[in-house]
Amino acid sequence: MSKLLSHDELRAHFAKKFGRSATVIARAPGRVNLIGEHTDYNDGYVLPAAIERETRIAAAPRADGCVHLVAFDLSRETTFDLADVQRSTSEGWSNYIRGVAAGLLAAGYPVQGFDGLIQGDVPIGSGLSSSAAMEMASVQAFSAIGGFVTPSAQAARIGQKAEHLFVGANTGLMDQLASALGQPDHVLLIDCRDLSFRPVPIPAGAAILIADTSVRRSLAASAYNERRAQCEAAAQALSVPALRDGTLAMLDAVALPDVVARRARHVIAEDDRVLETVAALQGGDLHKVGELMNASHASLRDLYEVSSVELDTMVELLRSQPGCYGARLTGAGFGGCAVALMEAGAVDAAIPAVAAVYRMRTGLTPALYPTRAAAGASALTL
Ligand code: ADP
Ligand code: MG
């Protein structure tokens, strides 16, 4: 993954490419979910944070109603006309922003064309939501260039719709909300039923360490859809609108195929774990938070069956480090990343230790990203 360019470097590349100065730098972070996995599509709770890796767009307005985008990290470029926004088959990366433009236009905003140079350091396709980062950065760019303000919740919905309609990815809303609304040193408790949210402070002295297994989630799409269907079947059997409304007692009272019951047991208990984590954070009990993260991983591995040898190995290595409170897989599973909550002072020593043993055990080179919780999307007018 590329290194984040400084503002000066980004502006210099923009000037070289477009022969004029950028007037805006928009930015939006990636995200990591601390706990609450596979709960979002069951109307449940999630607890993500924005991370210290972000996507930036340097931009300057155009008068012809066109958007000319350069993806610096991919060495690609494309132009589209706001009068007729279409999906691109050859420049798939631009569909996230085409979709955002279409969404802002449909919402009635005075969207204006611009030249934009995109660059960032959110690892692409690792499950840290480089896609939502690019969407939320583009909402900020369109808003600053067009002279309007897009409320965060609406920005998130527009990003989600861009993924549904322009990319064909049936994602929830967690990624966009976290990227739009993140606050330094806070996680966001999001209720995926009504999309209400509440920032929860992370106690001082705690840090987040993200560990990418470097295994890509190839099986994820079909397995994900299968689990969604199993959750719907379980909710129906319990006669509740979604598993969010189910209880373990209700589950014990009905006869369900074993696999469906296990999926439901994970979701129902995971929702409780999210709320317990919030209480533990508020009480400053980081050991309790760690225990809940560990329990979440066990449940995802044994009941929801979305872990992998590499994720289990990574989680075990993270937990064996001095100063680690707990660790779990984060994101949909099968590959991608694990997340650990650690004593801030213990992170530096853990990184080379985890990397070396993981490499030895799996033959794979992991990527480790220490992070504090970061601020959500914003734009700077130059
Ligand atoms: P994730 O969101 O987990 O990183 P996705 O598959 O949802 O993975 O999104 C990754 C896609 O988003 C990339 O394949 C690319 O099309 C687009 N993308 C993300 N970041 C950038 C970037 N900096 N420049 C261009 N395209 C990007
Ligand atoms: Mg994504």
Side-chain angles (χ1 to χ4, degrees):
M1 186 64 220
S2 51
K3 194 172 153 294
L4 190 67
L5 296 178
S6 69
H7 275 195
D8 284 349
E9 289 166 331
L10 189 64
R11 291 168 75 168
H13 281 290
F14 184 96
K16 191 168 155 220
K17 173 71 197 172
F18 295 109
R20 62 201 183 108
S21 298
T23 60
V24 164
I25 294 181
R27 57 162 286 281
R31 66 96 189 92
V32 67
N33 192 20
L34 193 65
I35 195 163
E37 220 64 75
H38 290 280
T39 47
D40 57 348
Y41 52 85
N42 290 294
D43 279 5
Y45 299 103
V46 294
L47 198 64
I51 61 175
E52 289 174 311
R53 289 187 165 250
E54 64 186 41
T55 302
R56 291 177 178 164
I57 304 178
R62 285 171 68 110
D64 64 355
C66 288
V67 178
H68 182 174
L69 299 173
V70 174
F72 185 87
D73 302 313
L74 307 180
S75 301
R76 306 290 307 182
E77 61 185 286
T78 187
T79 301
F80 63 92
D81 192 337
L82 289 167
D84 181 28
V85 183
Q86 297 289 341
R87 294 181 67 225
S88 169
T89 43
S90 58
E91 304 300 324
W93 59 274
S94 69
N95 285 328
Y96 300 88
I97 298 181
R98 291 167 187 259
V100 164
L104 289 168
L105 285 164
Y109 288 111
V111 182
Q112 216 187 313
F114 65 80
D115 289 327
L117 181 70
I118 304 163
Q119 202 274 328
D121 67 350
V122 186
I124 292 178
S126 295
L128 299 177
S129 234
S130 67
S131 61
M134 194 164 68
E135 289 149 25
M136 295 304 98
S138 75
V139 170
Q140 291 290 328
F142 279 117
S143 304
I145 294 281
F148 56 89
V149 175
T150 311
S152 300
Q154 187 182 26
R157 282 184 192 281
I158 286 172
Q160 181 194 32
K161 211 165 166 194
E163 299 226 13
H164 288 191
L165 299 181
F166 278 71
V167 180
N170 245 329
T171 55
L173 204 59
M174 166 169 73
D175 302 357
Q176 291 83 1
L177 282 173
S179 180
L181 291 161
Q183 289 188 18
D185 298 321
H186 288 68
V187 282
L188 291 176
L189 172 63
I190 302 172
D191 178 335
C192 295
R193 169 159 281 163
D194 64 8
L195 301 182
S196 60
F197 57 88
R198 177 157 65 88
V200 179
I202 300 173
I208 294 167
L209 178 59
I210 299 164
D212 187 350
T213 59
S214 79
V215 177
R216 293 296 161 252
R217 304 159 290 161
S218 54
L219 275 176
S222 58
Y224 179 86
N225 291 337
E226 182 190 53
R227 279 159 187 71
R228 280 186 81 135
Q230 289 163 336
C231 288
E232 277 164 32
Q236 215 160 35
L238 300 188
S239 302
V240 291
L243 280 180
R244 143 73 171 277
D245 308 296
T247 63
L248 294 178
M250 288 163 90
L251 195 58
D252 289 335
V254 294
L256 278 173
D258 180 56
V259 62
V260 174
R262 279 187 286 124
R263 304 297 190 246
R265 196 167 292 281
H266 163 75
V267 172
I268 292 170
E270 183 81 351
D271 266 336
D272 291 341
R273 278 190 288 270
V274 175
L275 299 180
E276 285 179 60
T277 301
V278 170
L281 287 170
Q282 281 166 340
D285 189 347
L286 293 168
H287 290 285
K288 178 72 184 172
V289 175
E291 279 170 28
L292 290 160
M293 291 172 73
N294 292 348
S296 169
H297 184 79
S299 177
L300 288 160
R301 180 191 61 208
D302 301 333
L303 300 180
Y304 221 68
E305 297 178 284
V306 292
S307 192
S308 65
V309 175
E310 293 83 5
L311 280 166
D312 290 344
T313 303
M314 186 64 90
V315 162
E316 184 200 321
L317 287 174
L318 288 164
R319 281 183 199 158
S320 69
Q321 301 306 306
C324 180
Y325 295 110
R328 55 182 287 278
L329 72 85
T330 185
F334 298 104
C337 294
V339 61
L341 189 71
M342 303 199 59
E343 281 172 21
V347 172
D348 284 353
I351 290 173
V354 169
V357 183
Y358 182 80
R359 204 179 290 124
M360 206 169 68
R361 290 228 200 133
T362 63
L364 299 165
T365 301
L368 287 123
Y369 309 113
T371 188
R372 309 267 302 250
S378 59
L380 180 69
T381 301
L382 303 167

